[in-house]
Amino acid sequence: MTTKIFALKNAWFCGLKTIQNINLKNFSIGAVTRAPVNLKGRSFLTLKDFSSDEIKHLLWVSRDLKHRIKYEKQYLPLLQGKSIAMIFEKRSTRTRISTETGFALLGGHPCFLTSQDIHLGVNESSADTARVLSGLCDIVLARVYSHTTLEDLVKDSSIPIINGLSDLYHPIQILADFLTLQEHYGSLSGLTVSWIGDGNNVLHSFMMTAAKLGVHLRIATPEGYDPDSSVLQEAKRLSEKHGTQLFLTSDPVEAARGSNVLVTDTWVSMGQEDEKKQRIKDFHGYQITMQTANVAKLDWTFLHCLPRKQEEVDDQVFYSSRSLVFPEAENRKWTIMGLMVSLLTDYYPQIPKPRF
C-alpha cells in the first residue's frame, strides 16, 4: 500500500514538472538540455566560420539575456572586471551604442577608440596593436574599412576579435536580424528572405547564415552590383548542403515573389560617396514599396539595418505595422551582449531553447 501511494505521488510530481516545462510561445517544449556548444575564446569575423548549432546557440543566449534583463529586471554582472576595446574606423550609431551600453550593463568597462585615438595601421602595425590590446583588454570589437585589418588583428591577438563591420561582412547585424525574425514568426526554418539592393557586406553575411538556419534566400541586385563571387560559391554549397533555395535575379519584383521577409540596405556605403550619383541611377526601380510587397506572402515583414534613405524604401512600408526595423535595431544590443558573453564566459542559457 505504501509503495502504491509513493508511486502515485511520484507520478503526480512528474506530471507537475511536465506542466512546468510547457513553455511560452516560440519556445520548445521540455526541460533545458545542455548542448555541446562552447564558444569561449573564439573570434567572430564571419558567420561562415560558425555552424548551425553554434549560431542557434548565440541566438538562444541573446534571447535569454533579453528575457532575464529586460523582462525579469535581473542584474547579471557576467562581464564584471572585464574590458573591451572598441576600435571604430567608421562611425556608427547602433554598433557603438549597443556594444558600449551592453558591455556596461553586464558589469564590464567599454573603451571607445576612433582613428584619432589609436595608432592602428598608422604609427603602429596591426600586429603590435593586437599584442598591446591583448595585454590590456579581454576582447576587441573593430569596425573597419578592410576585412584584412581584422584578419591581421586575429593573427597576433590572444583575445577574441569581433567584426563590428568590414567591407566584406557584417555578422553582428545578421544575428540581430535573425533574432528579430525568430521572435516575430516563432521559428526560422522554412522562411523565405528576399534581399533587394546592393551585393554588399550585409548580404554576404545573410548568405553565410540563412541556409544554416533553414532559411531560403532570394536576391535581386542590379547588374554590376552582384555579391562577391567567392561568397556566392560558398552560399551555393551551403544551400545544397542544408536543402534550402538560393535564387538570384536582377528583377526586384521577382525576388520578392512568395517571400516572408523583404530586406534592403543603403545603396551608398561609407567610402562610396563619390559614386552616389551613379549608384542612385543604377538602382532605379529597386525601392521597396507596397507594390513590391503585393507579390510577397500575406505575412510579409520588412527589415533594414539603418540608417535608411527614402529612395531605398518608401514611408508607407518603412513606417507600417509590417516594418520590424526598430525591434531589429534594439536587438543589436541583445545579440552583441549574447555574443560577448559567449566568447568570454561559460554562461549557459536559463530559459528553454527557442524553436528554430
Side-chain angles (χ1 to χ4, degrees), residues 9 77 110 115 137 174 179 196 269 287 296:
K9 284 183 176 180
S115 300
C137 302
I174 267 48
L179 178 61
I196 299 172
S269 296
Q287 184 191 47

Side-chain angles (χ1 to χ4, degrees), residues 18-306:
T18 301
I19 291 171
Q20 289 173 338
N21 284 331
I22 297 177
N23 306 300
L24 300 175
K25 182 184 177 184
N26 300 348
F27 289 92
S28 59
I29 295 178
V32 176
T33 304
R34 288 184 178 267
V37 174
N38 190 325
L39 304 177
K40 188 176 180 180
R42 295 266 302 268
S43 284
F44 187 78
L45 300 195
T46 167
L47 284 157
K48 177 183 177 181
D49 299 334
F50 288 76
S51 69
S52 173
D53 286 342
E54 290 170 338
I55 296 169
K56 290 174 183 177
H57 183 79
L58 287 171
L59 295 174
W60 183 10
V61 174
S62 301
R63 184 153 181 177
D64 173 86
L65 295 178
K66 182 176 183 178
H67 175 78
R68 296 185 68 190
I69 296 171
K70 180 177 181 178
Y71 298 112
E72 297 294 331
K73 307 300 181 185
Q74 297 180 26
Y75 176 55
L76 302 176
L78 299 171
L79 301 181
Q80 189 168 13
K82 299 186 183 297
S83 59
I84 181 171
M86 300 165 51
I87 302 172
F88 277 57
E89 292 182 349
K90 286 185 167 187
R91 65 185 182 273
S92 168
T93 299
R94 281 147 294 277
T95 301
R96 178 178 179 180
I97 297 299
S98 61
T99 306
E100 197 164 320
T101 60
F103 205 84
L105 186 58
L106 292 165
H109 178 76
C111 185
F112 179 70
L113 303 165
T114 69
S115 300
Q116 283 70 47
D117 302 311
I118 193 169
H119 296 289
L120 178 64
V122 182
N123 295 326
E124 187 170 54
S125 67
S126 297
D128 288 353
T129 298
R131 294 180 69 177
V132 168
L133 291 178
S134 294
L136 298 174
C137 302
D138 298 280
I139 192 168
V140 172
L141 179 140
R143 184 177 172 91
V144 298
Y145 282 97
S146 174
H147 193 75
T148 57
T149 301
L150 295 168
E151 294 172 335
D152 290 342
L153 286 172
V154 167
K155 286 177 186 176
D156 293 279
S157 173
S158 58
I159 59 176
I161 307 294
I162 296 176
N163 179 0
L165 175 142
S166 70
D167 57 343
L168 193 57
Y169 296 113
H170 195 2
I172 58 175
Q173 177 63 53
I174 267 48
L175 290 179
D177 289 358
F178 279 120
L179 178 61
T180 305
L181 294 177
Q182 194 282 330
E183 289 176 330
H184 181 81
Y185 288 103
S187 63
L188 295 172
S189 183
L191 290 179
T192 298
V193 170
S194 292
W195 176 272
I196 299 172
D198 193 12
N200 65 11
N201 51 3
V202 180
L203 173 59
H204 290 164
S205 289
F206 263 118
M207 294 170 73
M208 293 298 97
T209 313
K212 296 174 184 177
L213 298 173
V215 174
H216 309 296
L217 195 55
R218 298 175 67 84
I219 299 168
T221 56
E223 187 176 346
Y225 295 92
D226 307 314
D228 179 85
S229 58
S230 63
V231 173
L232 179 56
Q233 185 177 358
E234 176 64 10
K236 287 179 178 178
R237 186 191 71 79
L238 290 171
S239 182
E240 185 175 341
K241 176 183 177 180
H242 294 279
T244 60
Q245 299 170 12
L246 178 64
F247 175 77
L248 289 91
T249 180
S250 58
D251 183 348
V253 175
E254 191 58 36
R257 195 175 305 281
S259 176
N260 303 99
V261 188
L262 305 177
V263 192
T264 193
D265 187 17
T266 182
W267 297 347
V268 185
S269 296
M270 281 180 278
Q272 297 175 337
E273 289 81 4
D274 293 344
E275 306 171 24
K276 181 176 180 178
K277 188 175 292 186
Q278 184 61 48
R279 281 176 167 267
I280 296 297
K281 179 180 178 182
D282 293 342
F283 280 84
H284 178 72
Y286 273 72
Q287 184 191 47
I288 294 182
T289 65
M290 284 298 180
Q291 186 175 355
T292 316
N294 283 341
V295 301
K297 289 188 177 179
L298 294 177
D299 65 350
W300 69 271
T301 54
F302 173 75
L303 294 179
H304 192 303
C305 67
L306 306 179

